[in-house]
Amino acid sequence: MTSQAAQASPDTRDETPATASGRSIGSLVRRPETGALIGTVGVFIFFAIFGGKDFVTPGGASSWLNVAGELGIIAIPVGLLMISGELDLSVGSVVAASSMVLAIVSGFWGAPVIVGIALALALGAAVGLINGVIVTRTRVPSFIVTLATQFALAGLTLGFSRLLTSNVSVAIDAGEWGHLLLGQLIGHQFEVAIFWWAIVVVVVGWIVHVAKFGNWIFAIGGDLESARAAGIPTNRVKVALYIGTGLGAALVGVMETILYNSAQVAKGQSFVFNSIIAVVIGGVLLTGGYGSVFGIVLGTLTFSIVNQGIYYTGWNADWASLILGVLLLAAVLMNNTFRKMALSYSPSAPKAKKGRG
Amino acid sequence: MATTQAAPSTATPLLRLTDISMSFGSTQVLTDVSLEVNRGEVLCLLGDNGAGKSTLIKIMSGVYQPKSGTIEVDGKPVVFRSPRDTAAHGIATVHQFGGTFPLMTIGRSFFVGAEPEKGFWPLRRFDRRYANETAVREMRQLGITRVTDGDRLVGGLSGGERQALAIGRAVYFGASILILDEPTAALGVKEAAHVLRIVMGARAKGIAVVFITHQVTHALTVGDHFAVLIRGAKAADFRKGEKTREEITDLMAGGEAMAELEAELEAYENAHEGHVPQIG
């Protein structure tokens, strides 16, 4: 299956010449992130108008980019899992647990920071492994499995934190290089998490949309039985994706801990639903088989802009969740519309042409 | 029986099922079903809903293991433990709605599990251009000319186009036994005719086709050999021209009315004993 590579022409662009006509509309409508892009641009313009001058300054941008950076690192792997047809609700507890592991090991016990970071990431990977193995072995819906690990891990984190430190928050100083790599504010405004997010986007984007592994994820989410029949190691792929979310959540836990020089047992619970909202706004189909990394990025940005933009409008910030709720529903409806258009689109049927929004 | 290599391929059925029985719990679903298909031959498996067709398909495609009975591929006994096993023996199953990944592009779904790659590790890339061109070409060879863009989503294809995509995929990856599960059931007259033509094409290539259907007209158009399943047992087994359309329809209808079934069946069987078969 690799030998065909040689005879393919070397260029990476993949225009099929026969379809040059109508291709631009077709390819735009067909992209899972078209709706998400409209959403992101829409909320940005909205808050640029109502948020006043401060919203469009670097300071304003940093406020939502910082939220997006941390959320994005979790939302990307959660989105991949969703494309493969599974959910992960345990990311909140992984953030808290990894955060406490780092703070206890390197702050409370005084071990080298690198050891604490390694153990925190290992914990994330281990939780992902456990989630993945339980989901693929027992066939219990992942909603239940990861809800269970979410609660179990929260309990473990609280229990061990009290047991070992008699406290629910532990201070830590990660030292100079620790802050430099994982917890600095660039220009006193932009969290370094934004750059880690960018790296995650590029690497995962490649794996999903350019390498062949991505095809497996879409196939598994599209039809698990057919994917298995086609020879894809479906269980191993799912376990790998769960390890991905565990690692993503652990990385965010580590970065928050280093940035704020402390860890709390109740940290990070908001990531559970925020990541799902970002992914769904980003055009990923909740039942699997459809979505894109770029869409998840846009969904994350949309979420973060609304989440932070409200503070610039001078309105009561209590309404932010209302806006997010409405936005979520609107985004899903719009994404459904675009998906239908993508399905019905064909060069000979120009009725799909009427782009909406 | 045909374990010797010397046996010509026409003598050894490519796929032979002998006395296959299957039950789920206390429910007997299949009872001693025996079938065989030769190369370049279409076996039509007829039966009404609930006759056991789906179970038989799942046994032939490795989803279920039969409770008893043997399966031979090209004269050699085989045990299918998974759909991958059957694929390794050259058996491909195409389901009613063809492409099973509606939200994937034509090129990507065509190569699921066997993705072509280009470039060098660690930057090996899915060769989308090659995948799209191959998928579109294979479909074109099956007479689907309306599809020119491999980036279109499978879910946007018509039922006939999806069947062509799925059959084209199976043939491309070297299937020698093609199991088609109700390929024409959801199609209009024109598209059904096209799919039947594709089936004839596969047959002409020497592929053994198992064509599952409840549409007698479609079966008669392409079939060489017919088997009727009623309540999990093979009620009739005959070759082209041995039974008329009306007779087959009546046979199948017998499966619906449980009480009349047995009597009706026997009546038909008896009616044909000692008679010259009518050429329909």
Side-chain angles (χ1 to χ4, degrees):
Chain A
M1 80 187 76
T2 50
S3 60
Q4 302 113 348
Q7 73 204 60
S9 75
D11 63 342
T12 47
R13 292 263 44 86
D14 23 34
E15 253 96 28
T16 316
T19 61
S21 67
R23 186 183 164 79
S24 55
I25 301 142
S27 50
L28 188 69
V29 160
R30 254 188 320 236
R31 302 222 56 93
E33 58 269 2
T34 307
L37 180 65
I38 292 169
T40 308
V41 172
V43 296
F44 183 83
I45 291 173
F46 180 85
F47 285 106
I49 292 168
F50 292 99
K53 249 173 49 198
D54 286 345
F55 180 75
V56 291
T57 59
S62 76
S63 76
W64 51 267
L65 274 176
N66 287 343
V67 171
E70 290 188 7
L71 177 59
I73 291 171
I74 294 177
I76 297 264
V78 165
L80 296 198
L81 253 184
M82 219 183 271
I83 293 173
S84 83
E86 303 292 351
L87 291 170
D88 190 349
L89 304 179
S90 70
V91 290
S93 289
V94 174
V95 169
S98 59
S99 178
M100 286 310 292
V101 165
L102 170 59
I104 291 173
V105 169
S106 300
F108 190 73
W109 290 339
V113 173
I114 183 80
V115 175
I117 293 174
L119 285 175
L121 294 178
L123 175 111
V127 174
L129 180 69
I130 291 166
N131 279 334
V133 168
I134 296 177
V135 166
T136 52
R137 290 280 161 81
T138 65
R139 309 264 172 119
V140 172
S142 55
F143 183 96
I144 302 298
V145 172
T146 58
L147 190 64
T149 44
Q150 159 83 353
F151 273 81
L153 189 59
L156 277 175
T157 309
L158 183 58
F160 272 111
S161 299
R162 282 252 171 80
L163 202 66
L164 297 172
T165 70
S166 325
N167 215 327
V168 293
S169 96
V170 176
I172 176 181
D173 182 1
E176 200 168 331
W177 69 265
H179 278 281
L180 190 72
L181 276 180
L182 293 164
Q184 68 163 318
L185 288 173
I186 296 161
H188 301 287
Q189 283 172 330
F190 295 94
E191 280 181 33
V192 72
I194 300 166
F195 296 92
W196 284 103
W197 178 38
I199 293 169
V200 170
V201 168
V202 171
V203 172
V204 175
W206 174 280
I207 292 171
V208 171
H209 297 295
V210 186
K212 79 171 181 183
F213 185 74
N215 218 37
W216 295 5
I217 301 175
F218 286 98
I220 290 170
D223 183 346
L224 185 64
E225 287 310 318
S226 299
R228 188 175 293 142
I232 294 171
T234 54
N235 287 354
R236 264 189 292 159
V237 171
K238 280 190 178 177
V239 171
L241 293 175
Y242 271 107
I243 292 175
T245 57
L247 279 174
L251 180 62
V252 170
V254 165
M255 287 193 294
E256 284 201 339
T257 307
I258 293 177
L259 179 65
Y260 302 115
N261 298 313
S262 81
Q264 279 97 34
V265 286
K267 215 175 196 24
Q269 296 302 336
S270 64
F271 283 112
V272 176
F273 289 116
N274 292 359
S275 62
I276 294 174
I277 294 172
V279 167
V280 170
I281 291 177
V284 174
L285 188 60
L286 194 67
T287 46
Y290 195 66
S292 74
V293 170
F294 187 49
I296 300 168
V297 169
L298 291 170
T300 306
L301 287 174
T302 305
F303 177 92
S304 310
I305 289 170
V306 174
N307 191 270
Q308 294 298 303
I310 191 95
Y311 296 107
Y312 290 85
T313 57
W315 308 333
N316 191 329
D318 297 351
W319 302 99
S321 289
L322 172 67
I323 298 179
L324 277 171
V326 172
L327 185 75
L328 178 66
L329 203 55
V332 171
L333 290 173
M334 187 160 69
N335 289 334
N336 284 352
T337 306
F338 273 100
R339 197 164 54 248
K340 280 200 195 94
M341 282 162 64
L343 279 173
S344 63
Y345 174 79
S346 72
S348 58
K351 74 179 167 69
K353 213 167 175 167
K354 47 170 172 72
R356 174 169 169 285
Chain B
M1 49 207 77
T3 44
T4 51
Q5 281 292 64
S9 58
T10 44
T12 315
L14 196 49
L15 178 66
R16 187 207 299 267
L17 277 66
T18 312
D19 295 336
I20 295 288
S21 293
M22 185 68 188
S23 57
F24 298 105
S26 58
T27 315
Q28 189 73 20
V29 183
L30 292 172
T31 314
D32 294 336
V33 175
S34 301
L35 294 172
E36 47 183 70
V37 211
N38 296 313
R39 285 189 179 77
E41 191 184 79
V42 177
L43 166 70
C44 290
L45 192 54
L46 293 150
D48 209 345
N49 294 340
K53 286 179 297 177
S54 324
T55 309
L56 194 55
I57 294 162
K58 284 183 173 155
I59 287 171
M60 285 191 279
S61 55
V63 179
Y64 297 148
Q65 283 80 53
K67 287 275 170 344
S68 67
T70 57
I71 304 174
E72 288 163 62
V73 173
D74 209 8
K76 296 177 201 67
V78 289
V79 176
F80 300 141
R81 301 200 184 282
S82 74
R84 286 175 77 173
D85 267 6
T86 56
H89 283 96
I91 300 179
T93 309
V94 173
H95 295 286
Q96 185 174 354
F97 297 104
T100 46
F101 307 108
L103 290 166
M104 287 176 84
T105 68
I106 292 168
R108 280 182 171 270
S109 70
F110 193 88
F111 282 96
V112 159
E115 292 81 1
E117 291 182 295
K118 60 180 176 181
F120 296 97
W121 193 91
L123 299 181
R124 295 187 66 74
R125 309 187 294 276
F126 173 70
D127 194 342
R128 182 160 120 190
R129 187 196 179 105
Y130 176 85
N132 285 356
E133 284 174 0
T134 307
V136 169
R137 189 184 66 231
E138 293 300 313
M139 284 180 82
R140 182 161 300 169
Q141 280 180 7
L142 297 179
I144 304 293
T145 50
R146 204 172 71 86
V147 179
T148 53
D149 181 359
D151 270 333
R152 278 181 60 187
L153 300 182
V154 173
L157 299 177
S158 73
E161 288 165 348
R162 284 208 213 182
Q163 287 293 330
L165 179 67
I167 295 172
R169 181 181 196 277
V171 174
Y172 180 82
F173 287 106
S176 53
I177 300 166
L178 198 53
I179 299 170
L180 304 175
D181 181 9
E182 300 269 7
T184 55
L187 304 183
V189 179
K190 233 176 163 178
E191 288 224 291
H194 194 146
V195 168
L196 293 176
R197 204 169 296 138
I198 292 172
V199 172
M200 299 296 274
R203 191 184 94 163
K205 280 186 182 171
I207 294 172
V209 181
V210 181
F211 183 93
I212 294 101
T213 186
H214 62 258
Q215 278 151 310
V216 180
T217 323
H218 294 166
L220 281 173
T221 312
V222 294
D224 299 299
H225 187 174
F226 304 83
V228 180
L229 273 189
I230 294 175
R231 293 175 72 196
K234 194 166 73 174
D237 189 336
F238 51 95
R239 299 198 67 84
K240 195 181 181 76
E242 288 177 1
K243 277 199 195 331
T244 66
R245 193 188 147 183
E246 287 71 29
E247 287 171 312
I248 300 168
T249 313
D250 286 346
L251 247 178
M252 285 171 62
E256 275 178 304
M258 297 297 186
E260 295 167 31
L261 165 73
E262 311 288 332
E264 213 172 336
L265 247 178
E266 267 167 47
Y268 274 107
E269 304 262 294
N270 293 339
H272 284 280
E273 254 173 29
H275 284 248
V276 179
Q278 285 179 297
I279 308 296

